[in-house]
Amino acid sequence: MALWCGVGGGNFASSMSNISTFFPKRLQGTALGLNAGLGNFGVTSMQIVIPLVMTVGLFGAFGGDPMTLVKDSGWIFGKIKAGTPTWIQNAGFAWLLSLIPLSVLCFFGMNNLKTVSPDIGGTIGAFLKIIWLYTLSFVPAGIGLYLYLPGPSGLGLLNMWVAMPLIIAGTLLVLKLTAFGTMKEGIAKQFEIFRNKHTWSMTLLYIVTFGSFIGFSMALPLSIKVIFGISHVADAAGVMQHTLNNPNGPAVLAYVWIGPFVGALIRPVGGWIADKVGGSIVTQIISAVMVVASAAVGYVMLLAYRSATPEQYFVVFMLLFVLLFAASGIGNGSTFRTIGVIFDRTQAGPVLGWTSAVAAYGAFIAPVGDRRPDPGRDAGACDVRLCRVLRPLLNWWFYLRPNAYVKNP
């Protein structure tokens, strides 16, 4: 299931690549920001809709029998009490209501620019090629996960920082070696982006914005539950214990949607501003905001993690986290603009696809950082805190210094 969810992420990357070819350079930030912003509303939609549809017999007899909710849960409009009939299977079935009609609309309504993809062939043939490539890409992903995951699911031989690059490199190698016919020529052209230094600089810059956005989306509910849902008290020996349930803790699902909603909503604004004043200057300002906000939210979480009444820090925590989401959303839009301006039409699409795909690992990095023994110490900046500090230096060197390679694209 996780691998097929990755296919959905791949569709996002391909949509960014496709849409960039339809707009001139002066509108790249706005167009790509709109596409990505609307696309990432899926995170908020999931957090709002899924808890609701799980409490309703939406599909009648076709949806199966309900189970009884064992513990209290909640959503944006309040608490869902224990004992409520719950159709947990609706969490998957509900998406059919949108996916089926959207698939039909996409099949008959979406177009490719012949100037970019002149030899796409028939639609069915193109689908078969895509399925072939996706199937092959599952092989290195599966092997990498097996080597990374601890037993009994895997061997636990590799750590995260080794497994992820190996999976990426293995996937690229498999695609290059197994491509045939027109696919081989197309992949060879796309691989040319790796010879361009701007591909690597923009990948690092985008990891911090888009990677932070989806990483925050997963880290926020975990942080609310682990830090504010528990009373942190010392035992008789003076050792802090983190096992006592906090009766005044906030309902996770009542708040968790706010950050992703703000981040997705403001992304087109970031792209529009970048179109007006330049992408790199916006990225530089946002980088500074994220560094300060990350340090601040980490400090607040540290205080809460050492308090018997962590809820007293919750409002400040949420405000800082929303600021991080907003900053990452604006940074997403400005980075899109920069990529669209630096690269020509033949390379902008592949670079957008590559950077958005690699940056998706932020969803994995941030929550892993939050599972350390002291979440309050690490959760604010997580495992990408060094990247956030280095990002303004990288952005300045490539795009803002007096002799920059490209000036404020």
Side-chain angles (χ1 to χ4, degrees), residues 194-214:
F194 299 123
R195 300 177 182 176
N196 192 325
K197 58 180 175 290
H198 295 293
T199 299
W200 301 105
S201 66
M202 293 311 304
T203 298
L204 292 174
L205 292 175
Y206 194 50
I207 284 174
V208 182
T209 52
F210 182 62
S212 293
F213 173 81
I214 56 178

Side-chain angles (χ1 to χ4, degrees), residues 4 20 36 53 63 76 89 93 96 140 178 189 221 230 283 329 352 365 379:
W4 281 108
S20 69
V53 300
I76 61 171
Q89 60 271 28
F93 292 156
L96 298 177
T178 57
K189 289 182 179 179
I230 296 174
T283 299
L352 283 165
I365 294 171

Side-chain angles (χ1 to χ4, degrees), residues 254-301:
Y255 295 96
V256 73
W257 64 275
I258 298 175
F261 176 82
V262 171
L265 185 67
I266 206 169
R267 188 175 292 186
V269 177
W272 177 79
I273 294 173
D275 282 336
K276 300 298 182 182
V277 302
S280 294
I281 190 64
V282 175
T283 299
Q284 193 75 352
I285 295 171
I286 289 304
S287 297
V289 171
M290 292 185 71
V291 169
V292 175
S294 293
V297 77
Y299 177 69
V300 171
M301 294 169 79

Side-chain angles (χ1 to χ4, degrees), residues 15 54 65 80 105 144 179 221 228 260 267-268 272 345 371 396 403:
S15 74
M54 287 171 59
D65 297 325
I80 302 175
L105 289 173
F228 298 95
R267 188 175 292 186
W272 177 79
R345 178 168 289 188
R371 288 198 291 268
W396 173 82
N403 296 318

Side-chain angles (χ1 to χ4, degrees), residues 332-362:
N332 285 177
S334 64
T335 309
F336 295 150
R337 148 77 187 191
T338 301
I339 293 175
V341 170
I342 291 175
F343 297 92
D344 61 29
R345 178 168 289 188
T346 59
Q347 288 199 330
V351 172
L352 283 165
W354 161 259
T355 53
S356 59
V358 174
Y361 279 96

Side-chain angles (χ1 to χ4, degrees), residues 130-370:
I130 292 170
I131 293 172
W132 165 253
L133 293 175
Y134 268 131
T135 303
L136 291 174
S137 68
F138 286 169
V139 175
I143 294 174
L145 285 174
Y146 183 66
L147 293 174
Y148 164 73
L149 293 173
S153 301
L155 298 179
L157 297 177
L158 303 177
N159 66 34
M160 176 179 67
W161 300 108
V162 175
M164 288 193 302
L166 284 179
I167 290 173
I168 295 172
T171 301
L172 293 174
L173 181 62
V174 167
L175 294 179
K176 188 173 180 63
L177 294 178
T178 57
F180 60 90
T182 56
M183 282 194 301
K184 190 171 185 177
E185 182 181 352
I187 288 178
K189 289 182 179 179
Q190 293 190 40
F191 271 48
E192 291 177 2
I193 65 173
F194 299 123
R195 300 177 182 176
N196 192 325
K197 58 180 175 290
H198 295 293
T199 299
W200 301 105
S201 66
M202 293 311 304
T203 298
L204 292 174
L205 292 175
Y206 194 50
I207 284 174
V208 182
T209 52
F210 182 62
S212 293
F213 173 81
I214 56 178
F216 290 154
S217 298
M218 298 187 69
L220 180 59
L222 179 65
S223 299
I224 294 175
K225 179 180 179 180
V226 171
I227 297 176
F228 298 95
I230 296 174
S231 294
H232 313 283
V233 296
D235 59 15
V239 178
M240 290 294 293
Q241 301 295 319
H242 310 284
T243 57
L244 183 64
N245 184 59
N246 180 13
N248 299 316
V252 175
L253 294 177
Y255 295 96
V256 73
W257 64 275
I258 298 175
F261 176 82
V262 171
L265 185 67
I266 206 169
R267 188 175 292 186
V269 177
W272 177 79
I273 294 173
D275 282 336
K276 300 298 182 182
V277 302
S280 294
I281 190 64
V282 175
T283 299
Q284 193 75 352
I285 295 171
I286 289 304
S287 297
V289 171
M290 292 185 71
V291 169
V292 175
S294 293
V297 77
Y299 177 69
V300 171
M301 294 169 79
L302 179 61
L303 294 177
Y305 193 65
R306 296 176 177 176
S307 173
T309 55
E311 65 275 7
Q312 64 181 307
Y313 301 102
F314 183 70
V315 173
V316 177
F317 161 82
M318 277 300 302
L319 290 174
L320 288 170
F321 234 114
V322 169
L323 176 60
L324 280 172
F325 272 105
S328 68
I330 293 174
N332 285 177
S334 64
T335 309
F336 295 150
R337 148 77 187 191
T338 301
I339 293 175
V341 170
I342 291 175
F343 297 92
D344 61 29
R345 178 168 289 188
T346 59
Q347 288 199 330
V351 172
L352 283 165
W354 161 259
T355 53
S356 59
V358 174
Y361 279 96
F364 179 67
I365 294 171
V368 168
D370 288 340

